[in-house]
Amino acid sequence: NFKETDDAIHYRQSAFGLIAHNFGDMGAMLKGKKPFDAEVFAMRAQNVAALSKLPAEGFVAGSDKGDTGALAKIWSDKADFDSKMSAFQDNAAKLAVAAQSDDQNAIKQAFMNTGKSCKGCHDVYKKD
Ligand code: ASC
C-alpha cells in the first residue's frame, strides 16, 4: 500500500541495494578479496534471506515507468517473474542454512545458486 508509484519503486530499489551490499561482501570473502569471517558471512546470509522477501512488494502495477531498470515484461509475464523471485528466496534461505555450517563447498555452491537466481532474473527482466 504505497501512496505513490515512486514510493514502490524506491522501496524495491532500496531492498535490492541492501541485498547487493550484503551479497557483494559475501562474494568478496569467497573470492579471497578479504579474509573469510564465518560469523560475518552467516550474518550477511541471514540478511539476504530476510531481504529477499522485500522487493516483490514494490513491483506494483503501473510501476514500469521512468528510467528504472525494470522491464515491462515483469508485468506481462508476472507469473514467471514471481516464480523466479520465489526461487531466489528459496536459494537465499538455503544459503543462510549452509552459512551456519563449516562446509565450504556447500557454502560456495549455495552462494553460486543464489547468484544464478540474481542473474537469471536480471538477464530477462532488467535493462542493462
Ligand atoms: C551481485 C550483484 C548481482 C549478482 C549477480 C550474480 O553481487 O550485485 O546482481 O551478484 O551479479 O551473478
Side-chain angles (χ1 to χ4, degrees):
N1 295 7
F2 297 102
K3 249 170 96 188
E4 310 277 352
T5 300
D6 281 355
D7 297 335
I9 293 169
H10 184 246
Y11 183 83
R12 71 187 189 226
Q13 289 182 338
S14 301
F16 281 131
L18 297 171
I19 291 167
H21 178 78
N22 282 273
F23 196 69
D25 194 59
M26 294 164 75
M29 284 190 224
L30 289 183
K31 284 174 198 141
K33 289 184 179 156
K34 62 189 288 187
F36 186 84
D37 182 326
E39 234 172 85
V40 173
F41 190 94
M43 178 270 288
R44 294 208 178 281
Q46 296 276 6
N47 289 346
V48 172
L51 291 164
S52 70
K53 297 178 186 146
L54 303 188
E57 188 185 345
F59 288 92
V60 299
S63 62
D64 57 333
K65 54 149 207 158
D67 54 359
T68 78
L71 295 174
K73 214 169 147 30
I74 290 169
W75 291 272
S76 57
D77 290 354
K78 200 62 168 42
D80 179 68
F81 177 80
D82 289 345
S83 87
K84 283 182 164 65
M85 187 66 93
S86 175
F88 163 55
Q89 293 165 354
D90 290 347
N91 281 319
K94 285 177 188 159
L95 175 56
V97 172
Q100 304 286 338
S101 78
D102 297 326
D103 187 340
Q104 279 289 317
N105 287 329
I107 290 171
K108 278 184 183 149
Q109 190 58 56
F111 179 85
M112 287 196 330
N113 290 343
T114 306
K116 277 182 203 156
S117 287
C118 302
K119 188 176 185 310
C121 209
H122 292 169
D123 285 350
V124 187
Y125 293 112
K126 186 170 181 260
K127 190 167 47 187
D128 42 30

